Amino acid sequence: MKKILIMSLLAIATSVCAQQPIEMLLWPNGAPNSNGLTGTEEDLNGGRVANVVNPSITVFKSATPNSTTIIMCPGGGYARLAMNHEGFDMAPWFNAQGITYVVLKYRMPNGNHEVPLSDAEQAIRLVRQHASEWNVDPNKVGIMGASAGGHLASTLATHYSSKETRPDFQILFYPVITMKPYTHSGSRGNLLGQSPSAELEKKFSNEQQVTPDTPKAFIMLSSDDGTVVPENSINYYMALIQNKVSAAMHIYPIGGHGWGFRDNFKYKRQWTGELEKWLREEVVL
């Protein structure tokens, strides 16, 4: 009996330790580029942060050996980050699926459009470099993003610079995709400036950057999203299909924009169930 009690206590202790997140700076020796921001990070209302000067990842490890990993890019119009409902709040749900979940706190462009993508690439490098330590499969690392974070996720999926930084799949919540007429003007302005060149607009209109090597995708949005209009997701989905990239898209009739993991989104049970099914069938958890 005593032995069983000790083993049970050890199991509980191990479980608790496994749930402790790991926070790691992306660039402990300094980033390769700059957005000019200095000072201290700003905590805003509703779990939002701004003026990110020390980008990082927070890793919620799974207890499942060789687990799939998802890196989440919160939204915020490339001006701030919604770290809770589009970030940390999802960790328990993904861990329950046997997934190691990573929240990326990335820098804002602030006039340098290369900055967010470099942070996303570094995040996926770090996950793969620590694959053995964190007990994750380096060949099952996906990128996920919401709103402007969805633009960053789809940018990584279409602009990755090497095999090391190519995500194995992408998950997009009501993403900003294009920099053309039906874009989200705030995200576009913050990323590219108010008068970008036609070449730069095209480069970051990710529906125009899809190739047969773009990773498979799961996309979800609401029909009545008036902030990031559905054409963003629809045209990206069509580009994926035209390039014979496996893609699933779920459009809910109401819900607007920015629901993330909030309980007040009417279709939360549907999207979580559909995403779980897709991950099991397409990523093979």
Side-chain angles (χ1 to χ4, degrees):
M1 177 64 72
K2 184 177 180 180
K3 184 178 180 180
I4 293 173
L5 179 60
I6 291 172
M7 291 178 67
S8 298
L9 291 172
L10 284 172
I12 292 170
T14 301
S15 176
V16 169
C17 289
Q19 295 172 20
Q20 296 300 312
I22 301 166
E23 186 169 5
M24 178 178 291
L25 292 176
L26 293 184
W27 310 105
N29 299 316
N33 47 33
S34 174
N35 57 7
L37 293 177
T38 58
T40 58
E41 184 175 297
E42 299 174 13
D43 288 322
L44 307 176
N45 294 329
R48 299 175 302 156
V49 299
N51 201 51
V52 175
V53 293
N54 293 307
S56 64
I57 54 173
T58 303
V59 183
F60 298 84
K61 293 170 61 178
S62 166
T64 304
N66 300 317
S67 70
T68 294
T69 302
I70 290 174
I71 302 169
M72 178 56 168
C73 308
Y78 282 126
R80 62 198 66 83
L81 298 177
M83 295 299 293
N84 287 350
H85 72 284
E86 291 177 351
F88 298 132
D89 292 351
M90 301 187 193
W93 187 83
F94 280 108
N95 281 170
Q97 316 307 315
I99 295 168
T100 290
Y101 179 68
V102 179
V103 179
L104 171 60
K105 183 163 66 175
Y106 57 94
R107 292 171 296 157
M108 301 300 98
N110 194 43
N112 187 343
H113 58 266
E114 297 178 355
V115 164
L117 178 58
S118 65
D119 285 358
E121 286 205 289
Q122 181 67 355
I124 202 167
R125 284 191 200 99
L126 288 175
V127 168
R128 287 182 167 140
Q129 289 168 7
H130 290 268
S132 296
E133 177 187 346
W134 296 342
N135 206 7
V136 302
D137 187 338
N139 298 312
K140 291 183 181 180
V141 182
I143 192 74
M144 183 167 77
S147 194
H151 185 268
L152 178 55
S154 65
T155 301
L156 180 62
T158 53
H159 293 71
Y160 57 87
S161 62
S162 66
K163 182 179 179 181
E164 184 186 23
T165 60
R166 180 190 183 275
D168 296 300
F169 57 92
Q170 54 181 317
I171 301 167
L172 307 176
F173 290 67
Y174 38 85
V176 177
I177 293 292
T178 194
M179 296 289 113
K180 292 294 185 178
Y182 52 88
T183 187
H184 177 248
S185 60
S187 297
R188 176 185 180 275
N190 288 327
L191 182 65
L192 303 183
Q194 297 307 311
S195 301
S197 66
E199 181 182 5
L200 202 57
E201 280 187 326
K202 181 178 179 180
K203 179 179 179 180
F204 286 96
S205 292
N206 293 331
E207 79 281 8
Q208 298 186 54
Q209 305 303 325
V210 174
T211 73
D213 293 325
T214 299
K216 63 183 66 177
F218 182 98
I219 306 166
M220 48 189 153
L221 65 148
S222 299
S223 291
D224 64 347
D225 190 337
T227 302
V228 178
V229 295
E231 285 90 336
N232 283 267
S233 294
I234 292 168
N235 288 340
Y236 190 62
Y237 172 80
M238 292 304 299
L240 292 165
I241 297 304
Q242 288 163 7
N243 282 273
K244 295 181 169 51
V245 176
S246 176
M249 183 167 64
H250 297 272
I251 305 178
Y252 304 105
I254 59 173
H257 186 76
W259 26 269
F261 204 66
R262 287 175 172 152
D263 291 334
N264 61 2
F265 178 53
K266 184 176 180 179
Y267 297 96
K268 182 177 181 179
R269 182 173 60 83
Q270 282 77 12
W271 80 252
T272 51
E274 286 154 354
L275 178 56
E276 180 184 356
K277 185 174 187 290
W278 182 82
L279 287 166
R280 293 193 180 282
E281 292 179 351
E282 294 294 321
V283 182
V284 189
L285 298 181

